Amino acid sequence: MAVKITHLTNGQQVRFANADGARRYAEIIGGGVDKWRFTVVSGHERPELSGRVVNVPVWRMTSR
Protein backbone atom coordinates (compact mmCIF):
# COMPACT_ATOMS: atom_id res chain seq x y z
CA MET A 1 0.00 0.00 0.00
CA ALA A 2 1.55 3.30 -1.11
CA VAL A 3 1.92 6.10 1.42
CA LYS A 4 2.47 9.82 0.94
CA ILE A 5 3.88 11.89 3.79
CA THR A 6 3.52 15.65 4.03
CA HIS A 7 5.69 17.80 6.30
CA LEU A 8 3.48 19.82 8.63
CA THR A 9 5.67 22.93 8.56
CA ASN A 10 6.92 23.36 5.00
CA GLY A 11 4.48 21.20 2.99
CA GLN A 12 7.16 18.94 1.47
CA GLN A 13 5.61 15.74 0.12
CA VAL A 14 7.36 12.41 -0.34
CA ARG A 15 5.75 9.21 -1.66
CA PHE A 16 6.76 5.70 -0.61
CA ALA A 17 5.80 2.20 -1.70
CA ASN A 18 4.92 1.21 1.87
CA ALA A 19 4.37 2.63 5.33
CA ASP A 20 7.58 1.17 6.75
CA GLY A 21 9.73 3.13 4.30
CA ALA A 22 7.78 6.32 5.00
CA ARG A 23 8.10 5.88 8.77
CA ARG A 24 11.84 5.19 8.52
CA TYR A 25 12.40 8.29 6.34
CA ALA A 26 10.41 10.46 8.74
CA GLU A 27 12.34 9.20 11.76
CA ILE A 28 15.85 9.35 10.32
CA ILE A 29 15.80 12.17 7.77
CA GLY A 30 12.64 14.11 8.56
CA GLY A 31 13.11 14.90 12.24
CA GLY A 32 10.49 12.51 13.64
CA VAL A 33 7.14 11.06 12.68
CA ASP A 34 5.29 13.70 14.70
CA LYS A 35 6.33 16.33 12.12
CA TRP A 36 4.67 14.49 9.18
CA ARG A 37 1.11 13.67 8.09
CA PHE A 38 0.74 10.16 6.63
CA THR A 39 -1.79 9.51 3.86
CA VAL A 40 -2.58 6.23 2.10
CA VAL A 41 -2.72 6.67 -1.69
CA SER A 42 -4.03 4.31 -4.33
CA GLY A 43 -1.56 2.55 -6.58
CA HIS A 44 -3.24 4.07 -9.64
CA GLU A 45 -2.77 7.66 -8.53
CA ARG A 46 -0.15 9.45 -10.61
CA PRO A 47 2.15 11.98 -8.96
CA GLU A 48 1.63 15.59 -9.93
CA LEU A 49 3.90 16.75 -12.72
CA SER A 50 3.74 20.45 -11.97
CA GLY A 51 7.39 21.20 -12.64
CA ARG A 52 8.24 21.73 -8.99
CA VAL A 53 11.73 20.68 -7.97
CA VAL A 54 12.29 18.89 -4.69
CA ASN A 55 15.80 19.07 -3.34
CA VAL A 56 16.77 15.85 -1.62
CA PRO A 57 19.95 15.87 0.46
CA VAL A 58 22.76 13.71 -0.84
CA TRP A 59 24.90 12.13 1.83
CA ARG A 60 28.47 11.72 0.65
CA MET A 61 30.69 9.24 2.37
CA THR A 62 34.31 10.24 2.58
CA SER A 63 37.15 8.68 4.45
CA ARG A 64 39.17 11.20 6.38
Side-chain angles (χ1 to χ4, degrees), residues 39-59:
T39 308
V40 176
V41 294
S42 67
H44 303 295
E45 182 179 317
R46 294 188 63 171
E48 296 178 9
L49 301 175
S50 63
R52 290 182 291 187
V53 176
V54 177
N55 293 318
V56 178
V58 176
W59 301 98

Side-chain angles (χ1 to χ4, degrees), residues 2-57:
V3 176
K4 178 176 68 173
I5 61 174
T6 305
H7 196 273
L8 297 176
T9 304
N10 63 18
Q12 175 188 2
Q13 295 182 346
V14 185
R15 184 181 166 134
F16 295 88
N18 56 51
D20 290 335
R23 189 176 302 110
R24 184 171 168 89
Y25 177 88
E27 288 175 353
I28 296 171
I29 304 296
V33 294
D34 58 328
K35 296 182 181 178
W36 295 86
R37 181 178 62 233
F38 290 74
T39 308
V40 176
V41 294
S42 67
H44 303 295
E45 182 179 317
R46 294 188 63 171
E48 296 178 9
L49 301 175
S50 63
R52 290 182 291 187
V53 176
V54 177
N55 293 318
V56 178

